[in-house]
DNA sequence: AGTAGTTGTCTATACAAATAAACAAATAAA
DNA sequence: TTTATTTGTTTATTTGTATAGACAACTACT
């Protein structure tokens, strides 16, 4: 089979244009009144209808409003939520500090065997039982983060009911007698959204996500929780403050 | 115009399948011998030819090798490069420590007016002159990072020739009499690759990138460099170590 | 040698996407 | 009001995408 090594193959021209314009709007390069459909068509080297198909999708997404005779206008772009990450990170504090109502729901919870990765982080046997908690975190009424959090059952058997009652992780841990815990490290990667995450975050497949993996320990330094969070790349920005780090 | 709000609209079925399989291979869910084309066709609910079109592209990308009569086999997946980020981050040290030959080339350099964002970071006038340096960083022979770095001209007039001579940023700064600089903070976002970055990083448009923005200051605490780097999400993982942070 | 299972190739058909050329309908400004 | 500009609609044609069925070529195993 003859296959050209073309990046854009298999993606309709109108889709490419829509994606390009969506990015331009998100980055603020396109705002207010947009150029006419005819101008766009010429700029992209396509027929006017192809541009119209692209604009129609963006209009459907609420990024654009077009009026016959007047023109097409870009909606004002929302700013990124700033999310500080450090040894003391907590979801509710972070989002709360940015004066947006936080929220979260438990998507799922399960007991399972520790994977090799997890066993290493917890310093336990590979077949030890762990508790997995899946949370969906919301800000401004739209989903922002999907978190998968693991706990050692031996240490945190009652975490699920405690969370259900307290409504927050920090609260649940306090209820179980843990305080003064801190985050040891955070790993960050960029990944395309998989079908499950795309559904929860209400975004398209392959949308760029920030994937963080982190280990939190007790005040005494014992492993407490291992978490993997996926942040909607378009709505959030993580901030790491290095002041205070050893030189 | 009637437009359904469908995520996958405008993306050919074979492309969606190719993207899905590419992710499966990258995450290790698919390895060694793959299911037959007929099985894939049934699993995805499409014709065998559509699957073949998807496999053909992955084969073109070197992720697959198919042999008539034998079957189709996934290439072994490369591991992510671990990139520690902290107050002392330097590119050559990081990649060097992972025992991979580092490398870098200057893509471009220019003098320009400070943007509002930049002026705030540097604490200077908005129309002050800054020097912009664009670097492409390579590991294992493949591009990994595109960095845009700004310096205040008033403080670092000779940075371009110094870099050209020293071959590294740290070396260039030493040559200009700066040492003991440290990174104050790092912001992290996930963005789709734009046309320029996609070209440099040799990746498809809209590939997830990690975008970091950081401020480095002199030993005395004065702003030294403001940098915006784009990391290829599929090949790298950033690690932030919070030990030593104030509690 | 034979057989089951695999990838590779071919032809034909139906549907979506993109192009082309006009024209209608609304708006803004002269 | 008139004019130019803009988005919206229609019809027709061409190119790409997906399906269907059949068969060839090759491999691994019995």
């Amino acid at each position: 089979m003859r296959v050209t090594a073309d990046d854009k193959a298999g993606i309709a021209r109108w889709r490419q244009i829509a994606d390009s314009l969506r990015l331009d709007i998100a980055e603020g390069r396109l705002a207010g009144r947009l150029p006419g459909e005819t101008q766009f068509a010429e700029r992209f080297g396509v027929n006017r209808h192809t541009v119209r198909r692209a604009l129609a999708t963006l209009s459907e997404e609420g990024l654009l409003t077009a009026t016959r005779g007047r023109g097409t206008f870009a909606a004002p772009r929302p700013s990124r939520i700033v999310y500080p990450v450090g040894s003391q990170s907590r979801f509710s504090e972070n989002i709360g500090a940015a004066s947006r109502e936080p929220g979260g729901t438990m998507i799922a919870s399960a007991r399972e065997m520790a994977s090799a990765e997890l066993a290493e982080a917890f310093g336990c046997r590979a077949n030890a039982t762990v508790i997995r908690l899946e949370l969906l975190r919301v800000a401004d009424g739209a989903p922002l983060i999907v978190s998968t959090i693991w706990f050692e059952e031996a240490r945190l058997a009652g975490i699920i009911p405690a969370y259900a009652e307290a409504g927050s992780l920090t609260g649940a841990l306090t209820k179980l007698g843990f305080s003064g815990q801190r985050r040891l490290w955070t790993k960050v990667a960029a990944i395309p959204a998989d079908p499950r995450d795309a559904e929860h975050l209400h975004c398209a497949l392959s949308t760029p996500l920030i994937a963080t993996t982190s280990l939190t320990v007790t005040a005494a330094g014992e492993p407490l929780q291992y978490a993997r969070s996926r942040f909607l790349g378009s709505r959030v920005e993580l901030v790491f403050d290095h002041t205070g780090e050893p030189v």
Side-chain angles (χ1 to χ4, degrees), chain A:
Chain A
M1 188 183 295
R2 203 65 255 113
V3 170
T4 59
D6 183 4
D7 285 353
K8 304 183 277 287
I11 300 184
R13 200 82 183 78
W14 65 262
R15 235 269 183 180
Q16 299 176 38
I17 293 170
D19 291 343
S20 163
L21 293 179
R22 189 184 298 108
L23 195 57
D24 283 342
I25 293 170
E27 302 283 334
R29 287 187 293 267
L30 229 49
R33 177 169 190 186
L34 306 191
E37 296 174 346
T38 325
Q39 282 182 63
F40 271 137
E42 194 170 355
R43 179 183 307 178
F44 287 111
V46 300
N47 190 274
R48 187 177 146 233
H49 285 89
T50 312
V51 169
R52 279 179 61 72
R53 182 74 172 81
L55 295 177
T57 351
L58 298 181
S59 181
E60 185 78 10
E61 295 171 20
L63 297 172
L64 248 52
T65 49
T67 321
R68 178 188 303 197
R70 270 169 46 83
T72 309
F73 300 82
R77 71 169 166 146
S79 61
R80 272 207 169 87
I81 295 175
V82 173
Y83 194 105
V85 182
S87 58
Q88 300 301 312
S89 294
R90 277 173 193 77
F91 175 74
S92 37
E93 285 180 9
N94 285 340
I95 301 300
S99 78
R100 290 162 152 117
E101 344 76 69
T105 43
M106 193 191 300
I107 302 171
S109 67
R111 293 173 70 243
E112 60 190 22
M113 294 284 191
S115 65
E117 182 190 1
L118 211 48
E120 192 191 336
F122 282 151
C124 68
R125 303 185 322 283
N127 58 350
T129 308
V130 294
I131 298 175
R132 196 188 71 216
L133 189 58
E134 305 250 356
L135 302 180
L136 176 64
R137 297 174 147 167
V138 175
D140 292 334
L144 189 70
I145 313 175
V146 179
S147 293
T148 309
I149 307 165
W150 288 272
F151 302 91
E152 253 187 297
E153 192 182 44
R155 181 171 291 136
L156 286 146
I159 187 71
I160 303 286
Y163 175 82
E165 196 175 340
S168 82
L169 257 187
T170 316
L173 289 171
T174 306
K175 201 175 281 284
L176 294 179
F178 290 95
S179 67
Q181 61 272 14
R182 64 184 197 280
R183 190 182 283 208
L184 259 195
W185 47 256
T186 307
K187 294 182 188 176
V188 182
I191 61 167
D194 67 21
R196 255 183 68 81
D197 290 341
E199 188 191 339
H200 288 134
L201 293 174
H202 215 270
C203 69
L205 267 173
S206 298
T207 300
L209 305 181
I210 307 177
T212 66
T213 311
S214 65
L215 180 66
T216 301
V217 298
T218 64
E222 291 169 328
L224 188 66
Q225 70 176 46
Y226 187 84
R228 181 171 166 77
S229 299
R230 283 84 75 202
F231 296 72
L232 202 45
S234 58
R235 289 193 59 209
V236 75
E237 180 174 63
L238 307 186
V239 179
F240 294 84
D241 188 344
H242 305 301
T243 55
E245 288 183 21
V247 182

